[in-house]
Amino acid sequence: MDMGMELKSFIKVWVLATTCLSYCYYITARLPKGVVRLLSILPVIYIFIILPTNLTSFNLCGPTAFFLVWLANFKLLLFSFDQGPLSPPPPKLFHFISLACLPIKLKQKTDNDTNPSPHFMPRSLLLALKTFVLVLLFHIYSYRQFMHPYVILTLYCLHVYLQLELVLVISAIPARALFGFEIEPQFNEPYLATSLQDFWGHRWNLMVTSILRPTVYHPVRQFSKRLIGSTWASLPAIIATFVASGLMHEVMYFYLTRVRPTWEVTWFFILHGICVAIEVALKKVVKDRWQLHRAISGPLAVIFASITAFWLFFPQLTRNKVDEQVIWECSILLNFIKQKVSSCFIS
């Protein structure tokens, strides 16, 4: 893979994406909400679906596909009906572009739904520690020929979490620095989850959670109320949300592997959707009469998520050598940084 050509393709992709979002800001926003605005946005949605196919690097294609195909397209669909974070349109173009495609959710004083719990250390120090652990993992990979495959897979699971969180944090920095946005954290220490519901709803990749709620969860819940009543309407809404997440992960995997889907990752999310729905139903039934202590329910939830990830989430990636590509690309980046640091000290 020619990294020079890849970087040129990356720049072209984002220039075109910025142009499309400028069209949405200046033209589409002036159209009446509803079908007319949706029709004007459909060409942009199509272009965003095509753009990541111009990239082959995991570290460039993966975030681009996530930002454009998932986040931007879902936000634009909401925008068509005057809903979501783009409605009403912010006063400046680059505010609109940032909110449309970057993994940011503006913090509001009355928004307590995903406020992070208190941390045992400052967030900046915690991020520095996670960066150190991620770099350490890259060095450990040099000895993976001496490790059991399950140990390597465990390290890779930790690697995916750390890199995903750091990439999302870094991508949100420009919006915070340039515009002074107060931004909700994208992750809220998922290893401290007290249940599966807490893990998926309040701790893991909160940007996805915040975009799936208005696009999938709330509409399905409103429809289900008319069929089964308000008490149990959340259960089909939960499962539908996880199904949508699974299908979108299949799309993301296609961009990374360029092979036909095997639907394992979809079944991973369907399984977790069913389990979360069962958990919610049990909580409604027993209420305050009986409850597992968080010291038990938390580790069980994290262990269950890890085991099912080994079983269903990672095989599509490891089978197509995406894990090896990630390690190789990160090694190149580390060597580049080492060379630059060494040259600075020598000079």
Side-chain angles (χ1 to χ4, degrees), residues 337-347:
I337 294 174
K338 285 180 182 178
Q339 291 175 1
K340 290 298 181 181
V341 170
S342 299
S343 62
C344 288
F345 278 113
I346 293 174
S347 60

Side-chain angles (χ1 to χ4, degrees), residues 7-127:
L7 286 172
K8 288 181 180 179
S9 297
F10 179 73
I11 293 171
K12 290 178 181 177
V13 163
W14 279 98
V15 168
L16 183 54
T18 301
T19 303
C20 289
L21 289 172
S22 300
Y23 155 79
C24 293
Y25 182 78
Y26 288 115
I27 306 298
T28 301
R30 271 66 177 175
L31 299 176
K33 67 178 180 179
V35 176
V36 174
R37 188 182 293 183
L38 176 62
L39 290 175
S40 71
I41 283 177
L42 287 180
V44 173
I45 291 175
Y46 174 76
I47 291 172
F48 283 0
I49 291 173
I50 297 299
L51 282 179
T53 61
N54 294 285
L55 303 171
T56 57
S57 163
F58 172 90
N59 291 294
L60 297 180
C61 178
T64 297
F66 176 56
F67 295 165
L68 296 181
V69 181
W70 195 337
L71 296 187
N73 278 350
F74 274 56
K75 291 176 183 178
L76 288 175
L77 287 173
L78 289 171
F79 178 60
S80 300
F81 299 94
D82 218 10
Q83 299 180 30
L86 300 179
S87 297
K92 296 182 180 179
L93 170 62
F94 284 102
H95 285 201
F96 181 87
I97 294 173
S98 299
L99 289 174
C101 60
L102 292 180
I104 58 177
K105 179 186 177 187
L106 299 187
K107 185 179 292 185
Q108 300 178 12
K109 294 180 180 179
T110 58
D111 187 2
N112 297 317
D113 188 41
T114 56
N115 276 349
S117 55
H119 290 87
F120 50 87
M121 65 174 67
R123 184 171 293 277
S124 57
L125 181 58
L126 195 56
L127 285 173

Side-chain angles (χ1 to χ4, degrees), residues 117-151:
S117 55
H119 290 87
F120 50 87
M121 65 174 67
R123 184 171 293 277
S124 57
L125 181 58
L126 195 56
L127 285 173
L129 179 60
K130 290 175 181 178
T131 304
F132 171 78
V133 173
L134 184 60
V135 173
L136 184 62
L137 282 176
F138 296 151
H139 288 288
I140 294 174
Y141 285 144
S142 303
Y143 305 96
R144 60 184 182 278
Q145 66 269 26
F146 305 112
M147 301 178 191
H148 191 280
Y150 286 143
V151 174

